[in-house]
Amino acid sequence: MAEKITRKGQGVRRAAAARSRANTARKAKAKTTGFMDAAVAVLPFTEEQLHRVFLAIILGGVVALAWFVASLAGLPALAQAQIASVASDAGFEVRRVTVTGVKRMNELKVYERALGERDRPMPLVDLAALRQEMLELPWVADARVSRQLPETLRIDIVERVPVAVLKKPGRLVLIDNTGHELEPIKPANAKGMLQVSGPGAAKQVAALGKLLDTAPAIKPQVAAAEWIGNRRWNLTFKTDQVLALPHGEDESAGALVSFARLDGVNRLLGGKVATFDMRVPERIYMRVPGRTGDVTLDTKGGE
């Protein structure tokens, strides 16, 4: 009778080896997981943001591949449609619009143009065209339009700065230092702002600002400026007195500095003189209401 021999030793050794390999795998996995968790903890991103980044990378790869294949086939329009479809299915479409930089202008004017892109797949948003629409708004000096994946369209606005009020027939208009018209303004809201008038005055606002800067003590007292004959300024002070300046950049600046010096010594502003005429070099003619003839004063100090 044959005897059956069972080799238990070999089975035990195999089982032990399998358990050893399993333990090693678990330890390696634990170390790897711990390392990945530590790495994620160090990075300045949340796990959800990392998932979005990886999704964006994957989507980018799919989009690039779709475009490449369609381009080889001579079907760029089809490629664009396919890209839009993939992006939309992945949640990459405009659902939010954020606007920054708006302080004075009506923010709704920006949203009116931007919200036309709502629900549009991100790849189909024409950033350059939308930026151009923003630049057409009177208050916008510059604009930046960008995508914030997966769903936000960001618009950064650089506003123009109003520096004066342009007096036009029947209305007042805010302008910046280039003379660009911003928006109409009510007289009550224009109080305290420099008002300019006269044909071509808007284009001379920057030069006017430079002129007034030569006499810092006088500048706050100027309420209005009229551009005369497209060549020189008449300044009206808050006292309703008028100063007629000569033409020429250097000549008008020199006259204004001389007037500021004389006012500091003789208190011209707030007095009886209604008009100061400095169009003649080194002379100032002063007109007093009710008095015959002008009072003449040498700008160096003598009458």
Side-chain angles (χ1 to χ4, degrees):
M1 185 175 184
E3 183 180 355
K4 185 176 181 181
I5 301 173
T6 302
R7 301 189 178 188
K8 297 182 178 179
Q10 187 176 2
V12 172
R13 287 195 297 272
R14 288 181 178 176
R19 285 195 297 272
S20 177
R21 287 194 297 272
N23 288 335
T24 302
R26 281 195 297 272
K27 291 179 180 179
K29 183 178 180 181
K31 289 182 179 180
T32 303
T33 303
F35 174 77
M36 291 299 294
D37 290 342
V40 170
V42 171
L43 293 174
F45 308 105
T46 64
E47 186 175 352
E48 182 182 355
Q49 289 174 326
L50 285 175
H51 288 167
R52 289 187 178 184
V53 170
F54 291 137
L55 181 60
I57 294 173
I58 294 171
L59 177 63
V62 172
V63 166
L65 179 60
W67 180 267
F68 178 72
V69 172
S71 296
L72 289 178
L75 300 171
L78 177 62
Q80 189 177 41
Q82 184 62 34
I83 289 170
S85 177
V86 171
S88 183
D89 291 342
F92 286 77
E93 59 184 15
V94 180
R95 293 175 183 168
R96 294 178 61 236
V97 176
T98 62
V99 178
T100 61
V102 173
K103 297 178 181 178
R104 301 179 181 88
M105 67 179 290
N106 187 351
E107 195 173 46
L108 290 178
K109 298 295 184 181
V110 178
Y111 280 108
E112 284 175 1
R113 287 162 171 75
L115 290 178
E117 304 294 330
R118 193 171 179 86
D119 297 329
R120 188 186 300 273
M122 278 294 187
L124 294 187
V125 178
D126 190 336
L127 300 183
L130 185 55
R131 176 179 180 271
Q132 187 57 44
E133 285 190 46
M134 298 302 155
L135 293 177
E136 292 173 0
L137 293 171
W139 276 90
V140 177
D142 198 3
R144 181 177 180 271
V145 182
S146 60
R147 303 180 182 93
Q148 285 188 337
L149 299 178
E151 60 182 18
T152 302
L153 196 61
R154 180 184 175 92
I155 302 174
D156 301 304
I157 298 294
V158 178
E159 284 186 337
R160 296 179 184 272
V161 179
V163 298
V165 175
L166 177 63
K167 189 174 182 180
K168 305 184 77 171
R171 64 193 180 110
L172 301 175
V173 181
L174 279 176
I175 58 175
D176 68 358
N177 64 349
T178 67
H180 182 85
E181 296 186 11
L182 304 177
E183 64 180 20
I185 185 173
K186 296 180 180 179
N189 296 331
K191 288 182 178 180
M193 296 190 68
L194 176 65
Q195 293 191 21
V196 297
S197 60
K203 295 181 180 180
Q204 300 296 324
V205 169
L208 174 61
K210 184 178 178 182
L211 170 64
L212 296 180
D213 285 340
T214 62
I218 290 294
K219 182 176 180 179
Q221 303 301 320
V222 179
E226 183 181 5
W227 185 237
I228 305 294
N230 200 31
R231 62 201 300 265
R232 67 173 194 85
W233 291 103
N234 273 2
L235 303 182
T236 300
F237 299 101
K238 293 178 180 179
T239 56
D240 289 330
Q241 295 167 291
V242 177
L243 170 62
L245 294 173
H247 69 88
E249 182 177 341
D250 294 337
E251 290 80 1
S252 59
L256 186 59
V257 170
S258 295
F259 181 83
R261 177 177 56 80
L262 291 172
D263 178 63
V265 175
N266 301 299
R267 297 287 183 179
L268 300 178
L269 294 180
K272 296 180 180 180
V273 178
T275 303
F276 304 94
D277 191 340
M278 300 188 72
R279 287 176 292 174
V280 177
E282 299 185 357
R283 303 293 294 178
I284 178 170
Y285 294 89
M286 297 178 288
R287 183 167 300 170
V288 180
R291 181 172 178 174
T292 304
D294 296 336
V295 177
T296 305
L297 181 68
D298 191 310
T299 56
K300 295 181 180 180
E303 288 195 26

